[in-house]
Amino acid sequence: MARIVEKINEQWEFEKQGKITSISIPHTWNAEDGQTGPDMYFRGVCIYRRHLKKPKLAGGQQVYLEFRGVNSSAVVRVNGKELGRHDGGYAAFRVNVTDVLEEENMLEVVVDNAPNTSVYPQRADFTFYGGIYRDVYMIIADASHFDLDDYGGNGFRITPGINGENAVVSFETYSVGTAEKIIVSVAGVGETELALETVGGKTIGKGSIALQNVHKWDGVEDPYLYEAAAVLYCGGEAVDTVTDRFGCREFRFDAEEGFFLNGRRYPLHGVSRHQDRLGVGNALTQDMHEEDMELILDMGANSIRLAHYQHDQYFYDLCDEKGIVVWAEIPYITVHMESGRENTIRQMKELITQNYNHASIVCWALSNEITLQGVTEDLMENHRILNDLVHEMDRTRVSAMANLFLLETDSPLVSLPDIRGYNLYYGWYVGEMEDNDAFFDDFHQKYPDTAIGLTEYGADAVITLQSPKPEKGDYTESYQAVYHEHMLEMFAARPYLWGTYVWNMFEFAAAGRDEAGDPGKNHKGLVTFDRKQKKDAYYIYKAWWSREYFVHLCGSRYHDRVEDTTEIKVYSNLDKITLYVDGSFFAEQEGAHVFRFQVPIEGVHRIKAVGGCGDIRCEDSMEVAKASVPNPSYFMSLDKVRNWFDAPEERNEDREGYLSVNSTLAEIQSTEQGAALLAGMMGRMTGKTAGGMGEGVAIPEAMQKMVARQPLKKLLQQAGMEPEPEKLQELNRALNQIRKAEVQL
Ligand code: GCB
């Protein structure tokens, strides 16, 4: 009898702190409190219950429950008997419930997202939404079936190997019970009977099929997928079938020329994605996954870093179908836990077993910014084990790591995985945009034979905040756009970069944050948390990466403008833009990507930008108005601080010869009293940024110097730690009492 798979998302009961409600899966209990910050979301135990009727079973059929994602730990009970446990909120797992089934049954899943010291992630810049937030299935399989107990995999591994115009595709199946024969077929190509051997009570089937003139999976241009089916025969009957898709492609990372797909240069134009969205958390529908994919494709990206954990199978499927190259990773992140090793190994085994057949995936990443508190021998060993595991489980892909910018490039950890990637936030948290350029120039010069990529970079922008003079740390849409303009120019000048990944495609919840008047979120997204608005920076990527012609006027949300002559900026992938003001021709400009026009304004103006190519005509229009005073909604709380500095009656005047909030960190630290004041203040404040991510940070010397040169007020602002105006004034008063010392940097 063939396998029966039934989705059981409906008719669940949910109990939180004694209160019971009816719900359907996908579900999270942190959809609201996980997104409003700071830090106040419910992390604890909740229970899901569902009535289960025993299906009709014959001849030793087995019943499994499959959970596609339960965050973070789960205990599965049927009729009060514990049948399985799972630690880790992002991989699928199954539980065999056959033996305890009665006619009527009570299924109970106890879910726990409370902090602990052994299940990753525990400390990271995103919300750990609790719940059964992906689909649940009941699977009824014949006594003989493809393995359902192998780290959530489907018991069918497909490994294509390309040889010139042809390919040989190898198949491996894992099954339990009796297998008389196993036949694998590839739709439109042919079939083969696998050679079977029994190892440890399980049957392993092996075989291959040759593909003449292989149709390659060729990225976004031609993401061709083959379909394969494995059929298990027992008693002369087909008793179980699994199907999957695969793609035939070759890739490599080159130190000088970057990423290659199927033998040609194919720079990875990437974005990172967190799965959650506004009001929904991680409990997504298929439509939501599809919308994310459409937004990413529309921008012209060809690669996604699926951060910082295993994503939904449906999304990897979409990546296969659309030709997106994927970086996959486990949530071994921020801080190494000595008691978490087993969990990292398990999560890596699940990630690889469950996703092995996806053509889109090219690497398995061991960890992200794991060295925040430094490198210990236990951390090194954990990484060596994971790195070996990746190689043992998959000979066709590479291991990877996303390094914290503080990790010295000569650390043995950097050279451990097969490929290198750094997360850099110069131009946002520390340093200037140009420091990114310098970092890669230095790296490339020092390690000319090592391929290097940029695994994260970005700047926060709250969509309402606008500025004619964008500055690092101001949270404006305007600065974010300028920052990304720079980054794209710098990539173009460094073709050796194998890939770059914007942090982040979408805004996401980070319960530990409290910034720019919108707590609980990370605002680095190019698209808002609700997916409804594309920030200007989205279009600079589109201008560089997309071939679909468009014209975009920046600053459409910057309506009220105080300057007499305002800059009208246009992003486009066309090479000539004509600007019209109030219906009349204003100017025409030839160029690439960014077009700037200086337009005098008085009163209200209608602005239109037009570009074209052949029969195609693209345009965008907006309204701007001359304002006599700044519109306060463009600055929010940040500007209060700034305006307050500007107001003469309350200005934080520097007292000659004494410290102030405008003194650099080095100046303050070089005095005993200043250092003490700072230490006390930092102790109180670090918990506010990114969920206390700054605690215990090991900062290398070069970085300390860079930080030390920054004025305190700026540093606090950039770190999202700026105090209320009164507190800042108080701090300034205290610093004004301390005499400056001589500083040597
Ligand atoms: C990082 C982390 C990421 C954060 C990001 C940020 O380096 O890998 O999880 O969200 O920085 O925005 O600070």
Side-chain angles (χ1 to χ4, degrees):
M1 283 216 269
R3 182 187 287 206
I4 297 168
V5 181
E6 187 196 341
K7 204 186 261 183
I8 51 168
N9 281 357
E10 303 305 323
Q11 295 173 334
W12 286 80
E13 189 182 279
F14 171 66
E15 179 178 338
K16 181 186 163 198
Q17 296 175 308
K19 194 166 164 256
I20 296 177
T21 42
S22 297
I23 56 111
S24 54
I25 307 289
H27 177 263
T28 170
W29 62 75
N30 297 122
E32 278 161 31
D33 67 357
Q35 305 191 332
T36 45
D39 269 334
M40 295 299 286
Y41 68 116
F42 179 83
R43 291 184 68 182
V45 175
C46 293
I47 305 175
Y48 290 83
R49 292 193 191 86
R50 190 188 193 276
H51 178 251
L52 269 191
K53 210 172 166 52
K54 183 177 182 176
K56 285 202 184 357
L57 300 179
Q61 277 183 316
Q62 300 290 299
V63 182
Y64 279 82
L65 297 178
E66 177 175 294
F67 297 88
R68 293 282 175 93
V70 181
N71 204 29
S72 303
S73 292
V75 174
V76 179
R77 295 192 195 124
V78 174
N79 302 330
K81 289 194 195 74
E82 184 178 318
L83 298 177
R85 274 174 181 262
H86 185 260
D87 284 327
Y90 306 96
F93 64 96
R94 301 190 188 99
V95 179
N96 186 334
V97 300
T98 321
D99 290 346
V100 300
L101 284 183
E102 293 165 18
E103 280 316 304
E104 305 293 335
N105 304 277
M106 178 50 71
L107 163 65
E108 200 171 56
V109 188
V110 181
V111 184
D112 185 359
N113 70 338
N116 64 64
T117 55
S118 57
V119 183
Y120 287 97
Q122 287 300 326
R123 196 159 141 198
D125 184 29
F126 58 96
T127 297
F128 310 138
Y129 301 94
I132 305 183
Y133 70 97
R134 290 187 193 145
D135 295 341
V136 184
Y137 294 87
M138 188 200 290
I139 301 171
I140 304 165
D142 195 272
S144 298
H145 57 258
F146 290 106
D147 203 354
L148 290 161
D149 289 305
D150 182 24
Y151 293 99
N154 65 356
F156 188 24
R157 266 166 71 102
I158 308 170
T159 312
I162 297 183
N163 189 0
E165 296 303 303
N166 306 323
V168 174
V169 189
S170 306
F171 304 100
E172 275 167 68
T173 60
Y174 306 90
S175 56
V176 297
T178 316
E180 280 164 14
K181 63 172 178 178
I182 293 176
I183 305 282
V184 168
S185 59
V186 175
V189 177
E191 61 177 45
T192 185
E193 180 172 346
L194 304 189
L196 305 181
E197 63 172 319
T198 307
V199 182
K202 295 197 178 179
T203 303
I204 300 181
K206 284 188 183 165
S208 62
I209 288 182
L211 303 177
Q212 305 300 325
N213 286 322
V214 59
H215 191 158
K216 289 183 186 161
W217 184 92
D218 203 21
V220 285
E221 297 296 323
D222 185 15
Y224 187 81
L225 293 171
Y226 288 91
E227 284 174 29
V231 184
L232 186 154
Y233 289 85
C234 185
E237 224 189 292
V239 294
D240 200 19
T241 304
V242 285
T243 56
D244 214 341
R245 300 180 302 183
F246 65 93
C248 299
R249 79 281 182 277
E250 287 174 306
F251 64 86
R252 66 186 171 90
F253 296 81
D254 186 271
E256 203 49 51
E257 293 183 87
F259 188 77
F260 279 72
L261 181 67
N262 297 327
R264 70 174 195 288
R265 254 199 97 227
Y266 190 83
L268 296 180
H269 297 152
V271 295
S272 273
R273 178 201 188 223
H274 260 306
Q275 62 187 358
D276 63 329
R277 61 165 66 198
L278 186 70
V280 175
N282 52 2
L284 306 180
T285 61
Q286 287 200 346
D287 288 352
M288 293 172 185
H289 288 296
E290 284 163 19
E291 186 181 27
D292 282 9
M293 179 55 86
E294 260 165 47
L295 285 160
I296 292 169
L297 287 171
D298 174 76
M299 197 175 83
N302 61 12
S303 184
I304 306 180
R305 176 174 173 204
L306 285 173
H308 282 310
Y309 39 74
Q310 184 172 329
H311 283 234
D312 196 310
Q313 273 307 314
Y314 188 62
F315 203 80
Y316 294 107
D317 285 343
L318 286 175
C319 292
D320 291 345
E321 283 165 25
K322 304 295 181 188
I324 292 288
V325 171
V326 169
W327 160 300
E329 70 192 68
I330 57 168
Y332 181 23
I333 182 167
T334 318
V335 173
H336 169 74
M337 302 186 291
E338 298 219 337
S339 44
R341 186 184 290 183
E342 281 314 305
N343 189 250
T344 61
I345 294 170
R346 184 170 182 97
Q347 295 209 42
M348 186 59 88
K349 284 184 178 168
E350 291 175 330
L351 179 74
I352 299 179
T353 310
Q354 293 173 26
N355 297 293
Y356 184 86
N357 295 340
H358 287 293
S360 52
I361 298 175
V362 295
C363 68
W364 308 112
L366 314 179
S367 64
N368 177 70
E369 299 196 347
I370 195 66
T371 56
L372 191 77
Q373 291 183 339
V375 182
T376 63
E377 183 41 39
D378 197 66
L379 179 149
M380 278 302 301
E381 197 174 298
N382 204 145
H383 278 77
R384 281 194 290 265
I385 291 170
L386 290 175
N387 197 48
D388 291 346
L389 180 68
V390 165
H391 292 142
E392 201 180 292
M393 291 185 69
D394 188 350
R395 286 169 212 280
T396 69
R397 296 183 176 91
V398 296
S399 62
M401 246 182 94
N403 297 323
L404 183 67
F405 73 109
L406 299 170
L407 182 63
E408 302 284 5
T409 56
D410 57 4
S411 162
L413 196 58
V414 174
S415 47
L416 179 74
D418 301 326
I419 58 162
R420 321 268 172 279
Y422 263 89
N423 297 352
L424 300 182
Y425 285 94
Y426 298 118
W428 183 246
Y429 295 121
V430 287
E432 304 305 324
M433 296 185 243
E434 295 72 22
D435 294 325
N436 294 292
D437 320 18
F439 175 91
F440 284 115
D441 291 344
D442 290 351
F443 189 99
H444 191 54
Q445 196 186 19
K446 208 164 162 194
Y447 310 99
D449 301 326
T450 302
I452 180 81
L454 180 55
T455 35
E456 269 184 39
Y457 64 99
D460 288 81
V462 174
I463 198 151
T464 49
L465 303 186
Q466 305 293 332
S467 170
K469 289 193 194 121
E471 270 180 53
K472 178 175 89 162
D474 67 8
Y475 290 88
T476 61
E477 184 183 15
S478 338
Y479 178 75
Q480 188 194 39
V482 169
Y483 166 88
H484 285 290
E485 281 171 28
H486 174 84
M487 295 307 280
L488 280 156
E489 292 282 355
M490 100 86 160
F491 303 156
R494 289 165 186 77
Y496 57 83
L497 292 171
W498 60 258
T500 58
Y501 293 87
V502 180
W503 190 260
N504 193 290
M505 182 67 195
F506 306 105
E507 293 179 342
F508 58 91
R513 286 187 180 264
D514 183 2
E515 290 159 294
D518 188 20
K521 291 170 202 76
N522 183 313
H523 297 95
K524 294 191 186 68
L526 303 179
V527 175
T528 52
F529 201 13
D530 59 7
R531 279 35 175 191
K532 292 216 171 12
Q533 305 205 59
K534 298 167 181 165
K535 299 178 190 173
D536 284 340
Y538 177 97
Y539 293 96
I540 186 64
Y541 282 92
K542 189 165 169 139
W544 278 85
W545 290 352
S546 171
R547 287 196 212 138
E548 186 199 320
Y549 291 128
F550 77 100
V551 168
H552 173 75
L553 274 164
C554 294
S556 63
R557 283 168 279 264
Y558 179 42
H559 181 265
D560 307 329
R561 305 183 176 211
V562 279
E563 55 276 18
D564 295 329
T565 297
T566 196
E567 180 177 270
I568 299 292
K569 194 163 65 174
V570 179
Y571 291 158
S572 176
N573 47 6
L574 291 156
D575 54 15
K576 198 196 304 170
I577 297 295
T578 312
L579 199 77
Y580 297 87
V581 177
D582 300 323
S584 308
F585 174 88
F586 179 77
E588 189 175 82
Q589 222 181 89
E590 287 186 23
H593 315 303
V594 187
F595 303 79
R596 295 186 174 84
F597 300 88
Q598 306 307 320
V599 179
I601 50 172
E602 47 178 35
V604 178
H605 301 284
R606 193 83 208 142
I607 310 284
K608 186 158 87 175
V610 181
C613 177
D615 291 346
I616 297 166
R617 190 185 136 98
C618 304
E619 63 174 64
D620 192 15
S621 46
M622 68 178 186
E623 190 183 276
V624 298
K626 173 81 176 94
S628 50
V629 289
N631 181 334
S633 69
Y634 296 160
F635 303 96
M636 293 203 353
S637 61
L638 276 173
D639 193 56
K640 278 189 207 137
V641 176
R642 224 180 306 145
N643 277 348
W644 171 76
F645 275 115
D646 295 343
E649 66 280 10
E650 282 182 307
R651 196 164 44 212
N652 252 355
E653 262 165 345
D654 290 350
R655 185 176 167 201
E656 180 106 22
Y658 289 82
L659 297 175
S660 79
V661 289
N662 297 318
S663 304
T664 64
L665 209 59
E667 283 176 313
I668 299 173
Q669 271 169 336
S670 66
T671 68
E672 207 177 302
Q673 281 170 293
L677 190 95
L678 214 58
M681 188 182 90
M682 289 302 175
R684 287 196 304 280
M685 297 183 83
T686 40
K688 273 193 77 184
T689 53
M693 301 241 311
E695 285 161 34
V697 179
I699 305 184
E701 209 180 315
M703 183 54 51
Q704 278 176 23
K705 282 196 174 172
M706 195 183 287
V707 173
R709 275 185 231 120
Q710 310 274 334
L712 177 63
K713 184 185 72 179
K714 276 231 124 166
L715 267 178
L716 293 174
Q717 218 176 56
Q718 286 160 15
M721 289 165 44
E722 79 285 0
E724 293 297 303
E726 301 73 37
K727 286 266 184 299
L728 196 63
Q729 202 175 9
E730 211 177 278
L731 177 64
N732 194 59
R733 258 189 246 118
L735 287 165
N736 276 184
Q737 308 307 312
I738 306 170
R739 200 174 263 287
K740 279 186 182 171
E742 287 294 308
V743 181
Q744 294 292 319
L745 267 185

